[in-house]
Amino acid sequence: MLAQLSFSGLDWLPILLGVGIAYIVFGIAGFGTALVAGPILIHFMPLSRIIPLLVLLDFVAAFGNLLPSRRDVVRSELLRLLPFMAIGCTLGVVFLLQLKSDLLLLLMGLFVTAYALYGLAVKVRPANLSGAWAVPMGTAGGMFGALFGSGGFLYALYLSARLEPKEQVRATQSALISCSTMVRLTLFLVAGVYADQSLLLLAACLLPVMFVGLWAGRRLAHRLSREAFVRLVTWLVLASGLALIGRYLST
């Protein structure tokens, strides 16, 4: 069965390491798997396989994050973001099918990097963010999630400014990621992507690494204060933006 995957013994080390680190990040912040694992996996498989692979793993991981913390989900924020996330997912699929995504990838990377640098430079931040920001954040998050598998950072920025306990931020974000992943998983199923048995086998092989990374990330997240949590998310957003710019330059 493993012969179907056509990876050498040396290939497995960076693949497992990249996926493990990606899900440590996911366990801490609730997003970032495509942006962390993508630049590593792209050396071993095309992007057309990477995104469906990570969608499968994200689907399991998001529900793994959600189940123990479902009571902390703030339903009002979830319901405020969901419609715009659905609109964004639809737009993302349209753009993915009809437009070249290279320029969008660069613009997204520049926007994310600039926003993160601003967040790190400005010490005094608003105590609250208007609920009206759910419209652009939800729409852009859904669109970028469908295009690049990386829209969760926008939900993190929005929810971190709206909710006080970090547990509510992580739980609500996990619920959003679960919904977004379900939509993308359905689209890939309809498109016949998961008819590729080797892709499903690879996902099954990576599940143990995903669970270990998720467990380690959760333990680290519980030890962080809210201020440290928000700052860490901002640093992860900056790394995400730089990774996107690097991905654009490497294509």
Side-chain angles (χ1 to χ4, degrees):
M1 291 177 66
L2 292 177
Q4 299 179 42
L5 300 179
S6 68
F7 297 131
S8 71
L10 291 177
D11 290 342
W12 278 105
L13 182 59
I15 290 173
L16 295 175
L17 186 62
V19 171
I21 294 173
Y23 283 97
I24 290 175
V25 171
F26 189 93
I28 294 172
F31 72 94
T33 52
L35 296 172
V36 175
I40 298 173
L41 297 180
I42 197 69
H43 296 289
F44 306 99
M45 65 190 79
L47 191 63
S48 59
R49 285 173 61 87
I50 293 173
I51 298 302
L53 171 67
L54 293 177
V55 164
L56 274 174
L57 296 175
D58 282 356
F59 179 75
V60 178
F63 277 100
N65 266 356
L66 178 60
L67 288 176
S69 60
R70 58 189 181 279
R71 293 182 181 178
D72 292 320
V73 174
V74 180
R75 295 189 180 185
S76 59
E77 293 295 348
L78 182 65
L79 294 175
R80 184 179 285 118
L81 283 163
L82 276 177
F84 303 108
M85 184 197 72
I87 293 172
C89 283
T90 304
L91 290 173
V93 170
V94 171
F95 289 148
L96 188 63
L97 294 177
Q98 297 188 2
L99 301 177
K100 291 185 177 180
S101 60
D102 290 353
L103 181 58
L104 289 172
L105 187 67
L106 176 62
L107 292 175
M108 177 186 173
L110 292 173
F111 166 74
V112 171
T113 302
Y115 193 102
L117 289 173
Y118 170 80
L120 291 170
V122 176
K123 303 299 181 182
V124 180
R125 302 180 186 182
N128 212 339
L129 192 67
S130 169
W133 278 94
V135 178
M137 290 295 203
T139 304
M143 183 173 67
F144 291 151
L147 277 170
F148 312 117
S150 54
F153 67 91
L154 288 173
Y155 307 141
L157 291 173
Y158 172 83
L159 293 171
S160 294
R162 290 281 296 171
L163 303 176
E164 181 62 30
K166 65 181 181 182
E167 290 78 13
Q168 290 186 351
V169 176
R170 294 180 71 251
T172 308
Q173 184 172 308
S174 292
L176 280 167
I177 297 295
S178 298
C179 295
S180 174
T181 305
M182 177 69 80
V183 171
R184 288 180 287 153
L185 187 68
T186 303
L187 291 172
F188 285 134
L189 279 171
V190 171
V193 173
Y194 295 125
D196 183 353
Q197 293 184 358
S198 64
L199 184 63
L200 299 178
L201 178 60
L202 179 57
C205 291
L206 293 174
L207 275 176
V209 180
M210 182 271 289
F211 282 123
V212 171
L214 198 61
W215 173 83
R218 282 186 201 156
R219 289 183 65 86
L220 289 172
H222 287 310
R223 299 180 180 182
L224 297 174
S225 66
R226 183 179 185 276
E227 291 73 19
F229 177 76
V230 172
R231 194 162 186 83
L232 177 60
V233 167
T234 307
W235 277 107
L236 290 173
V237 168
L238 175 60
S240 299
L242 294 175
L244 287 171
I245 295 172
R247 186 187 296 179
Y248 171 81
L249 295 175
S250 65
T251 56

